[in-house]
Amino acid sequence: MARTRTTLLGVLTLLTGLLSLQLSGPSARATAAPAAFTHPGVLVSRAQLDYVRSKVQAGQQPWKAAYDQMMASSYASLSRTAKPRAVVECGSSSNPNHGCTEERQDAIAAYTDALAWYFTRDSRYAKKSIEIMDAWSATITDHTNSNAPLQTGWAGSTWPRAAELVKYTYDGGWPNAGRFATMLRDVYLPEVINGAATKNGNWELVMTEAAIGISVFIEDRADYDKAVGTYLARVPAYVYLTGDGDLPAPPANSGIDTKAEIIKYWQGQSTFTDGLAQETCRDFGHTGWGIASIADIAETSRIQGQDLYPKIQDRLRYALGFHTSYENGTAVPSWLCGGSVDTGLGRVTEVGYNALHNRLGISMSQTQKYTEAHRPSGTDNYFNAWTTLTHADNPA
């Protein structure tokens, strides 16, 4: 009997080993956190920033115009005073708005100052970025009301970009960097890490972007992996490809699974084509936010050495092309959103366009036309900021 048990144990061990080998293959590696995180490594890398810095110093376009736009903005003002709150309360459409605008804009200011520091090497900008981040990490304890997860996603996507640049490129020191990391871990990450399956997709995508950026900064491999899993499930539920079948994939864990429920979730749209998004028939503005987070997350993953672009590039390419074509003046067919769309895609195309067209060589004529016509991209005052400066034609 003992020998039989030993034999069975050996067989189970062998099977476990084979399963382990299967799970460690290309698919598993693509969804795993890196063995060692790369810093700075949230949305922008050191190589990307060095490329931009050289272009700005040489006065080359579009980088110089984008840089001048950023430096002339109120976000780069060295006289800015942070306005932190212990509890940020954000209702639907930010009503009530108790600290919502201030939090988002202070986060963008911290990121703007971090970029300004890197490009100018003027330590005043690094110190201002630190001042803003320290003010919030000393104060905030919670986000409340119905928009709390979305608000946390918006600000939580931006804070790690600033923190990464300051901590890993400024040699003047940041004594409270640990407290800022604790803020991200205790106040922001719990609000975003579990997603928002039943909400419109831009919610879960920006929440996931925040979770991944925070996980990089605090070097949390488990939550990085969890966020990547959420992302890989949500992207097919946000952007449709004909290979998906007659209907788009439903959001994971949402309970939205019948044909009628899926069509209702897709804003009543019942005809599907490559690049259509779950919020297309709501408006292009919210759709643009979802597309931006899809690209931002893939960009961070590429910097971290676990490139997710191959898994999502077709959906991102078609989503960008589909929506920019209507922004560029293509007539809206009667089957799409009742024959009328609410345009206004926003400042969301630079990251994805650069990755897919410039790095991978994919032809994207509609996206190219739209992107080049909207440079420099500026900021939407939510979480998209200065991507013409950081990502336009950037091969790094």
Side-chain angles (χ1 to χ4, degrees):
M1 180 65 72
R3 184 170 181 175
T4 300
R5 288 176 177 168
T6 302
T7 301
L8 287 173
L9 180 61
V11 171
L12 288 172
T13 301
L14 177 61
L15 290 173
T16 301
L18 291 171
L19 180 59
S20 177
L21 286 174
Q22 288 180 327
L23 292 176
S24 64
S27 177
R29 284 198 300 272
T31 63
F37 286 100
T38 297
H39 303 290
V42 176
L43 188 61
V44 291
S45 68
R46 190 184 296 270
Q48 287 173 297
L49 293 173
D50 286 342
Y51 177 84
V52 174
R53 188 167 185 255
S54 70
K55 294 296 185 181
V56 171
Q57 290 178 333
Q60 295 184 19
Q61 302 297 356
W63 306 277
K64 182 61 165 61
Y67 169 80
D68 289 343
Q69 178 194 48
M70 182 185 80
M71 296 301 290
S73 75
S74 62
Y75 292 111
S77 172
L78 290 171
S79 63
R80 185 183 188 89
T81 300
K83 298 179 180 178
R85 282 177 176 257
V87 177
V88 175
E89 182 182 5
C90 307
S92 179
S93 299
S94 294
N95 183 22
N97 182 341
H98 297 153
C100 316
T101 301
E102 291 83 357
E103 180 186 32
R104 293 194 308 268
Q105 295 190 2
D106 277 350
I108 292 173
Y111 178 50
T112 302
D113 288 325
L115 289 172
W117 143 251
Y118 198 90
F119 296 138
T120 65
R121 296 301 197 268
D122 183 338
S123 64
R124 294 178 301 166
Y125 289 105
K127 291 174 181 177
K128 177 57 69 170
S129 183
I130 289 170
E131 177 188 309
I132 294 169
M133 290 189 286
D134 281 354
W136 279 90
S137 69
T139 306
I140 190 168
T141 61
D142 200 9
H143 296 85
T144 63
N145 216 316
S146 59
N147 262 28
L150 181 60
Q151 172 72 20
T152 308
W154 284 332
S157 293
T158 310
W159 287 127
R161 302 174 197 168
E164 283 279 301
L165 289 180
V166 170
K167 182 175 180 179
Y168 293 101
T169 72
Y170 176 58
D171 58 8
W174 181 12
N176 292 317
R179 188 179 73 195
F180 190 81
T182 298
M183 176 195 79
L184 293 180
R185 180 185 295 107
D186 294 349
V187 179
Y188 288 79
L189 190 56
E191 191 72 53
V192 296
I193 190 60
N194 293 316
T198 60
K199 296 290 187 178
N200 283 307
N202 81 88
W203 278 55
E204 188 160 78
L205 286 164
V206 79
M207 290 165 66
T208 302
E209 180 180 351
I212 284 179
I214 291 168
S215 296
V216 170
F217 185 69
I218 68 176
E219 298 195 327
D220 186 329
R221 299 184 79 254
D223 280 328
Y224 185 98
D225 286 349
K226 182 174 182 178
V228 168
T230 300
Y231 173 74
L232 292 177
R234 173 56 86 162
V235 175
Y238 196 69
V239 177
Y240 176 82
L241 291 179
T242 54
D244 296 338
D246 293 338
L247 292 171
N253 305 313
S254 67
I256 300 170
D257 49 19
T258 69
K259 180 178 180 179
E261 288 171 341
I262 290 173
I263 290 173
K264 180 180 179 181
Y265 184 64
W266 282 64
Q267 323 299 324
Q269 179 68 16
S270 58
T271 301
F272 303 95
T273 191
D274 288 330
L276 184 80
Q278 181 257 319
E279 294 184 270
T280 299
C281 294
R282 180 186 185 191
D283 59 65
F284 279 23
H286 287 92
T287 302
W289 281 345
I291 292 172
S293 288
I294 290 172
D296 292 352
I297 292 167
E299 190 73 359
T300 294
S301 77
R302 185 190 65 86
I303 296 167
Q304 294 303 322
Q306 304 287 348
D307 193 350
L308 295 175
Y309 276 117
K311 290 183 174 292
I312 59 88
Q313 68 182 45
D314 286 344
R315 294 183 194 274
L316 179 58
R317 169 169 66 103
Y318 280 109
L320 285 168
F322 182 87
H323 293 88
T324 55
S325 70
Y326 295 111
E327 292 283 350
N328 293 337
T330 297
V332 180
S334 60
W335 58 263
L336 177 62
C337 309
S340 176
V341 295
D342 185 358
T343 56
L345 192 62
R347 304 160 175 84
V348 301
T349 62
E350 289 279 16
V351 176
Y353 172 69
N354 183 59
L356 301 183
H357 177 71
N358 295 324
R359 291 197 197 114
L360 299 179
I362 298 171
S363 178
M364 302 175 70
S365 59
Q366 293 286 358
T367 306
Q368 180 174 3
K369 179 180 179 180
Y370 178 86
T371 302
E372 292 178 352
H374 288 79
R375 287 177 173 168
S377 57
T379 177
D380 61 10
N381 304 311
Y382 285 85
F383 71 104
N384 294 294
W386 323 124
T387 52
T388 295
L389 179 61
T390 55
H391 287 82
D393 302 333
N394 196 322

